[in-house]
Amino acid sequence: MNWIILSYLGYIILVLIAYLVIAPIPKLLYYKIKYGSAVDIYYFPIIGLIGQIIIDLIFRQDAFYSQKRYVLKNNKLKLHISNDLKGGVHFSLVDPKLKKQVFFDQESYKKMEGMPFADTFMDQGLLFQNGKSWHQSRTMLTKHFTYQDLLVMVETLKQECKKLQLKDGPIDILTLLKQLTSTTITKTFFGSENTDVSDLGVEVNKNMEKMMLFFLNPLIVLRCFALKLNKTTTPSFLLSSGEKAFLRELQAQKQRIICEIDQRIKKIKENQTVQDNILTTMCKEIMNNNITKEEAIHQYFTLLIAGIDSTSHVVKNFCYALALYPDVQNRLRNEIQSIIQQFDDLKPQQLSQLKLLDNFINETYRHYTAVPSLFNRIALKDIQLGEFVIQKGQSMDLNMMMSHFDPSIFENPLKFDIDRWNSPLLDTYSFTPFSAGPRNCIGQHLATLEMKTLLVYLILNFNLELNSGKIVLGLANIFLSIEKYQQIIMSSNPYFLILHHQYEQALQLLVSDDYETLVTKSLAQYHLGKYDDALSTLDKAIQLSSDRFEAYYRKGLINFISGKIQQSQLDLQKSLELNPQHKETQQQLLKCELELKNTKLVQTAQEKIIQQQKEVPQNSDAQRTNIYSASGKLMYKWYQTDLKVGIEIHHALPNSADLKYQFEKQKLQLSFPIQQANNFELDLDLFAEIIPETSKAKVGLNSIEIIMDKKDKTLNWSTLQKKVEEQSQIPIMEQASYPTSSKKKKDWSKIDKEIEEDINKHKEEYGEDPLNSLFKQIYQNGDENTRRAMIKSMQTSGGTVLSTNWDEVKTKDYEKKDRPSPPKGQEYKKLG
């Protein structure tokens, strides 16, 4: 009997695997084959796109890294298709023309059901209603979003901002913003002066953050979306302790809203004077039996969540962008001060005059949108969208994030550029932060005025600067902690801490010895500069799972940054063996190959110069000078990542205290002794600005490394120094420059190639070492003047000039006035 039961269970499991795991694969391939570059597909067993977001969050520290790159690589992309939770496919609309069709055809879709426990507090609210009930609710609420009502809201928010008494010490900016918006919303919409009710908005949004964490649990997601088991249909034994605690808090919050509704209905029945606001309107509708009390509660929750959570998170993102781009912050401050001298004097009508602030809001929305995609919809019938067919029952969403990084719409989309908004968009449906069409956001004007008011208050009163992941306000040394964006993981999660540069705190939580924890721990150690510890941690991870590529890939990155290029190449080759499709490994391997090639070129150039000096007969009257230049022993190389720029100088410095350096916003000065009373010096005007406070230099066993933090993380440096003459560049490492007294710039790589081709043609004549044989033959066959010219030019220039023209050389003083110019950024030092 037991075997029969087990057999049936095994059969059921196989059927589920076939249906949920295997069935979506041929469907995805069908769309890719049929539509080609117009679609991009992604598969992750069962959870689909959620799996991609989790992977990007862990390994890229950006939940939407891959989605941005899809459209950057393929500007013909119209649809992104992934598997869904029910064994089917899910469509993410990227093309603005397809989105427009959906915006104006709401009747063909319904909002996707299944958000955890939404049936207890949100399903009957405006956000999830459909058809006639949505029309009735929209009509009921619209009259409270008139312009005059919104201006009253601005005055309320002004008064709340002026009440703030910020003291020295840490202040959580998100909590502060939620308190401000909660108080404003409850007073404006519900007319409540009750502090408890005002705090209710904050508590509701804290509960929403807990609910968002449920989306990281595949079992809960599968239960709610695929099986549609919600509060009313889920047996209590299937609920986790966290879910049960969430429901208890939710019931307590519902009870407080019921008390507010009952008190307002009582006042209306007793003909007491009540404020004409949303709560009063809903109570009258309840009394007239047009809506139920449960519907009113759901609308109450919807307005609290939409009006408080979204706005506070968006303004938090604005603060981050202001601190990240201080030049933009100064421009905004100048504009605001030209119109509004003091915050007390702010009039709501003045907000519409701040055009630069409008640009900033749009650009921050584009980069750090709080709504990366609009709520999933289910097709109620077969629908033709352009060349695509969405079948009845299939799910889709309107992807905002991909459209925001489409290079065919936004030029250089990774750049934060507020001036791009001075020109109109080619397609207005490519940027819809408040949705569009008949179901656009009812509170978009409220949110805009609310955000502008908060920004004016912050910019006029504070100077926001980034300092170790926090914003520093210029008033009384106040610290405002601020997350980057998309806070869906609590601060007790190490991935969240790494995302926000809190590496030491993350290490305290990463105590397990499983593979994933060790790889994550190495990431924190790497960011702290503990390269040896990170490599040791990754070795432990490899011992646990030698068939996974992530640890090898990270070892390759760390060894590369440490200058161990050959070891880095071996690690990356192993990573590529385990995952041949990993593009980042392929790119990093290419960097290793270029680095090794450049190193070999430099070593070959050095060897040739040394050999040339040996072949020239010595003249007892000539003074010999050792030259340290870009073609000599102290060749330096530079590299960059998305966040940093590094310079590595191959020189052993016994005493690290001898290294002197200074960082400025766009300048680096560095020096150290190389031989008795002689210094190696760099004085570089950098290509772009860095963050001096967090940049550093360190001395290794055989090298000196300078690591500078980029100020603009989206900028790719084309050169190390600004205003460098255009020249042939090899990525990762600067090519060697050969000093010359000539004013005319030469393409040495081209000349070298021509010489090499010429020598190869005469290989029989010159022998196996053609270059030195050529110099020997010129010297042996030359007359006395030719030999004198070669000896003087070679020795007095330190091996950097070789001439056979005695008439020119005899008048030259290569040691002084005719000395060849060194490469830019280095000095010519005489030694001995």
Side-chain angles (χ1 to χ4, degrees):
M1 189 67 180
N2 291 337
W3 284 107
I4 295 174
I5 294 173
L6 289 174
S7 298
Y8 274 113
L9 286 174
Y11 177 75
I12 293 171
I13 292 171
L14 287 175
V15 170
L16 284 173
I17 291 174
Y19 184 72
L20 298 177
V21 179
I22 300 175
I25 297 176
K27 298 176 185 177
L28 293 172
L29 293 175
Y30 165 77
Y31 283 104
K32 184 62 181 177
I33 294 170
K34 182 175 181 179
Y35 296 109
S37 60
V39 304
D40 203 19
I41 61 173
Y42 179 82
Y43 174 79
F44 193 98
I46 300 178
I47 57 177
L49 202 57
I50 297 174
Q52 182 188 63
I53 291 172
I54 294 174
I55 290 172
D56 280 347
L57 192 62
I58 294 172
F59 292 103
R60 302 292 184 191
Q61 294 79 59
D62 180 352
F64 304 101
Y65 178 91
S66 295
Q67 292 188 38
K68 297 173 187 176
R69 266 61 187 179
Y70 286 142
V71 74
L72 282 172
K73 294 176 182 177
N74 178 15
N75 59 10
K76 296 180 181 179
L77 187 63
K78 296 182 179 180
L79 274 182
H80 182 261
I81 310 176
S82 59
N83 59 302
D84 66 13
L85 297 159
K86 296 183 290 184
V89 292
H90 174 79
F91 300 88
S92 287
L93 274 59
V94 181
D95 186 359
K97 294 181 178 61
L98 301 181
K99 293 179 185 177
K100 181 179 179 181
Q101 286 185 248
V102 177
F103 282 139
F104 289 93
D105 183 19
Q106 297 292 338
E107 302 303 322
S108 297
Y109 310 91
K110 68 174 182 176
K111 293 286 184 70
M112 181 178 253
E113 300 170 351
M115 179 178 285
F117 313 116
D119 56 339
T120 63
F121 71 106
M122 279 189 71
D123 269 359
Q124 299 179 55
L126 192 64
L127 202 56
F128 288 100
Q129 286 178 305
N130 293 291
K132 184 178 179 181
S133 62
W134 174 82
H135 282 288
Q136 291 176 338
S137 297
R138 180 88 178 198
T139 303
M140 174 183 71
L141 297 174
T142 297
K143 68 176 184 178
H144 293 289
F145 288 90
T146 64
Y147 186 70
Q148 292 301 320
D149 289 334
L150 300 183
L151 295 183
V152 173
M153 185 277 302
V154 172
E155 288 299 328
T156 303
L157 186 56
K158 271 181 60 180
Q159 298 304 318
E160 294 303 317
C161 286
K162 287 158 61 175
K163 289 179 184 178
L164 291 177
Q165 296 181 351
L166 300 179
K167 300 179 181 179
D168 291 352
I171 299 174
D172 184 346
I173 191 171
L174 193 55
T175 299
L176 176 69
L177 291 171
K178 285 185 176 181
Q179 188 63 57
L180 282 171
T181 53
S182 178
T183 303
T184 304
I185 290 295
T186 51
K187 285 185 176 181
T188 304
F189 286 166
F190 309 117
S192 176
E193 299 291 340
N194 188 338
T195 305
D196 290 338
V197 175
S198 177
D199 291 339
L200 174 63
V202 177
E203 293 177 17
V204 167
N205 281 276
K206 285 181 179 178
N207 232 15
M208 280 298 295
E209 290 177 359
K210 294 177 183 177
M211 193 186 75
M212 292 300 291
L213 288 174
F214 296 155
F215 285 100
L216 299 180
N217 187 325
L219 293 177
I220 295 177
V221 171
L222 183 64
R223 189 190 75 217
C224 294
F225 284 94
L227 304 179
K228 292 187 178 179
L229 290 175
N230 228 314
K231 169 62 178 70
T232 55
T233 54
T234 304
S236 60
F237 66 85
L238 289 179
L239 299 177
S240 67
S241 58
E243 291 176 287
K244 291 177 181 177
F246 169 84
L247 287 170
R248 286 194 297 270
E249 293 176 10
L250 188 61
Q251 290 300 326
Q253 291 163 2
K254 287 184 70 173
Q255 192 57 45
R256 290 164 66 180
I257 294 175
I258 290 172
C259 290
E260 280 287 303
I261 292 174
D262 289 342
Q263 290 177 12
R264 185 63 55 90
I265 290 176
K266 181 181 178 182
K267 288 182 179 180
I268 294 172
K269 288 180 176 179
E270 294 175 352
N271 293 323
Q272 296 184 32
T273 303
V274 292
Q275 189 176 342
D276 183 17
N277 52 37
I278 289 176
L279 179 59
T280 300
T281 297
M282 289 195 300
C283 288
K284 289 179 179 179
E285 293 294 310
I286 293 171
M287 293 167 65
N288 294 329
N289 295 320
N290 293 326
I291 64 172
T292 64
K293 187 178 292 187
E294 186 69 15
E295 287 176 308
I297 293 170
H298 284 229
Q299 297 293 9
Y300 204 122
F301 270 111
T302 299
L303 292 169
L304 284 179
I305 293 167
I308 298 171
D309 188 74
S310 298
T311 303
S312 54
H313 274 85
V314 168
V315 178
K316 170 209 65 178
N317 294 342
F318 291 163
C319 292
Y320 176 76
L322 287 170
L324 194 61
Y325 303 103
D327 294 342
V328 173
Q329 183 181 165
N330 290 333
R331 289 179 64 188
L332 293 175
R333 185 174 291 110
N334 292 335
E335 180 193 54
I336 293 171
Q337 289 177 339
S338 68
I339 298 173
I340 307 161
Q341 280 66 46
Q342 293 183 345
F343 185 69
D344 288 351
D345 301 330
L346 171 65
K347 294 179 175 57
Q349 294 82 354
Q350 293 173 313
L351 295 173
S352 61
Q353 302 174 32
L354 302 172
K355 302 303 181 184
L356 204 60
L357 188 63
D358 287 333
N359 288 0
F360 168 76
I361 288 174
N362 285 339
E363 185 68 354
T364 308
Y365 263 134
R366 191 180 71 83
H367 271 266
Y368 310 115
T369 176
V371 185
S373 63
L374 298 184
F375 276 105
N376 291 357
R377 291 165 166 78
I378 303 294
L380 298 175
K381 59 182 180 180
D382 289 353
I383 301 164
Q384 186 79 37
L385 289 178
E387 69 234 70
F388 309 102
V389 175
I390 309 295
Q391 297 177 358
K392 180 180 179 180
Q394 288 184 324
S395 64
M396 53 165 284
D397 69 76
L398 285 71
N399 195 295
M400 303 290 107
M401 187 64 73
M402 290 192 194
S403 297
H404 292 177
F405 287 85
D406 187 342
S408 65
I409 301 171
F410 299 100
E411 184 179 356
N412 194 3
L414 293 178
K415 182 181 180 182
F416 189 91
D417 180 11
I418 65 173
D419 294 320
R420 73 170 75 244
W421 298 95
N422 291 329
S423 303
L425 287 173
L426 297 175
D427 191 324
T428 55
Y429 294 93
S430 61
F431 182 74
T432 53
F434 293 105
S435 187
R439 290 200 68 151
N440 64 351
C441 177
I442 192 173
Q444 59 182 298
H445 300 301
L446 164 69
T448 301
L449 289 174
E450 196 174 9
M451 290 183 294
K452 280 189 172 184
T453 304
L454 286 168
L455 283 172
V456 168
Y457 170 73
L458 290 169
I459 294 172
L460 278 180
N461 289 281
F462 307 110
N463 182 44
L464 287 76
E465 298 177 357
L466 279 181
N467 181 15
S468 301
K470 295 183 177 181
I471 284 187
V472 180
L473 296 181
L475 176 67
N477 194 30
I478 296 172
F479 291 90
L480 249 65
S481 63
I482 181 169
E483 298 87 352
K484 264 190 173 180
Y485 50 84
Q486 305 304 339
Q487 182 187 1
I488 61 172
I489 299 179
M490 297 298 185
S491 59
S492 59
N493 190 298
Y495 305 122
F496 173 81
L497 294 170
I498 291 175
L499 176 63
H500 297 89
H501 315 296
Q502 300 177 42
Y503 308 118
E504 293 286 3
Q505 296 92 318
L507 284 177
Q508 294 175 10
L509 298 176
L510 294 165
V511 294
S512 300
D513 286 330
D514 58 280
Y515 179 86
E516 288 77 9
T517 301
L518 290 171
V519 172
T520 307
K521 183 178 180 180
S522 74
L523 183 62
Q525 291 169 330
Y526 162 76
H527 283 295
L528 289 169
K530 300 178 180 179
Y531 297 155
D532 291 340
D533 291 346
L535 291 172
S536 177
T537 301
L538 289 169
D539 286 335
K540 292 179 182 177
I542 290 171
Q543 289 176 3
L544 290 174
S545 300
S546 60
D547 59 343
R548 297 181 62 171
F549 80 97
E550 297 90 353
Y552 288 105
Y553 172 66
R554 294 213 171 276
K555 278 192 71 177
L557 293 181
I558 295 172
N559 280 320
F560 183 87
I561 215 82
S562 303
K564 302 172 185 175
I565 309 302
Q566 290 181 330
Q567 183 59 49
S568 173
Q569 189 178 42
L570 293 174
D571 293 326
L572 292 167
Q573 286 171 347
K574 183 64 177 177
S575 172
L576 198 61
E577 287 177 16
L578 297 171
N579 186 358
Q581 305 303 319
H582 194 236
K583 293 182 180 179
E584 285 71 20
T585 300
Q586 298 170 5
Q587 294 169 357
Q588 194 63 34
L589 262 175
L590 179 60
K591 291 180 181 180
C592 285
E593 292 169 5
L594 291 169
E595 184 76 7
L596 291 170
K597 180 180 178 181
N598 279 342
T599 303
K600 187 175 180 181
L601 287 173
V602 172
Q603 290 173 348
T604 303
Q606 293 172 353
E607 291 168 359
K608 286 180 179 179
I609 290 172
I610 293 170
Q611 183 65 26
Q612 291 164 15
Q613 291 176 333
K614 290 180 180 179
E615 295 294 336
V616 179
Q618 300 299 307
N619 186 329
S620 57
D621 295 331
Q623 292 184 348
R624 293 183 55 77
T625 305
N626 294 323
I627 302 298
Y628 289 80
S629 67
S631 58
K633 294 180 181 179
L634 294 180
M635 177 66 192
Y636 69 85
K637 60 187 177 185
W638 74 281
Y639 58 86
Q640 65 176 315
T641 66
D642 289 343
L643 305 177
K644 301 177 184 295
V645 171
I647 300 175
E648 187 175 356
I649 304 169
H650 295 288
H651 179 72
L653 190 63
N655 186 2
S656 60
D658 290 337
L659 178 63
K660 309 296 181 185
Y661 59 91
Q662 180 176 348
F663 297 107
E664 297 178 16
K665 283 188 176 180
Q666 203 166 349
K667 194 174 183 64
L668 165 65
Q669 293 176 310
L670 177 143
S671 67
F672 55 85
I674 51 177
Q675 225 178 48
Q676 303 174 353
N678 288 288
N679 288 343
F680 173 80
E681 297 184 0
L682 279 180
D683 189 351
L684 303 179
D685 292 323
L686 300 171
F687 177 80
E689 290 191 17
I690 62 172
I691 304 175
E693 296 80 10
T694 57
S695 299
K696 57 188 177 182
K698 60 180 182 179
V699 177
L701 292 176
N702 297 303
S703 64
I704 298 165
E705 188 171 18
I706 300 97
I707 301 174
M708 299 172 286
D709 288 324
K710 290 182 180 179
K711 186 172 184 181
D712 185 350
K713 306 298 188 295
T714 65
L715 181 63
N716 185 54
W717 290 24
S718 57
T719 60
L720 179 62
Q721 303 177 66
K722 69 176 181 180
K723 298 182 181 177
V724 175
E725 294 282 348
E726 287 190 5
Q727 54 183 324
S728 178
Q729 295 275 338
I730 297 179
I732 307 308
M733 176 177 168
E734 288 190 339
Q735 298 177 358
S737 302
Y738 299 95
T740 175
S741 57
S742 172
K743 301 294 184 182
K744 185 178 179 181
K745 299 291 181 181
K746 296 183 179 181
D747 186 350
W748 287 105
S749 62
K750 183 178 179 181
I751 294 172
D752 287 344
K753 186 176 180 181
E754 292 172 355
I755 292 173
E756 184 178 355
E757 290 174 354
D758 183 66
I759 290 173
N760 287 335
K761 290 179 183 177
H762 302 85
K763 196 165 187 178
E764 291 183 4
E765 180 182 353
Y766 294 138
E768 285 302 315
D769 191 359
L771 185 60
N772 285 327
S773 298
L774 175 62
F775 289 149
K776 286 180 184 179
Q777 187 168 333
I778 293 172
Y779 185 83
Q780 291 169 0
N781 296 337
D783 57 21
E784 183 179 354
N785 284 341
T786 298
R787 295 179 183 179
R788 291 168 64 190
M790 291 178 72
I791 292 170
K792 180 179 178 181
S793 62
M794 195 69 173
Q795 292 186 347
T796 59
S797 70
T800 60
V801 176
L802 178 62
S803 175
T804 59
N805 187 346
W806 175 247
D807 290 333
E808 178 187 6
V809 172
K810 68 181 180 181
T811 61
K812 297 290 185 180
D813 184 359
Y814 292 116
E815 293 179 291
K816 294 182 181 177
K817 66 184 182 67
D818 298 314
R819 184 175 66 193
S821 302
K824 186 171 182 180
Q826 297 198 22
E827 276 191 331
Y828 192 102
K829 292 290 184 180
K830 184 173 181 179
L831 306 177

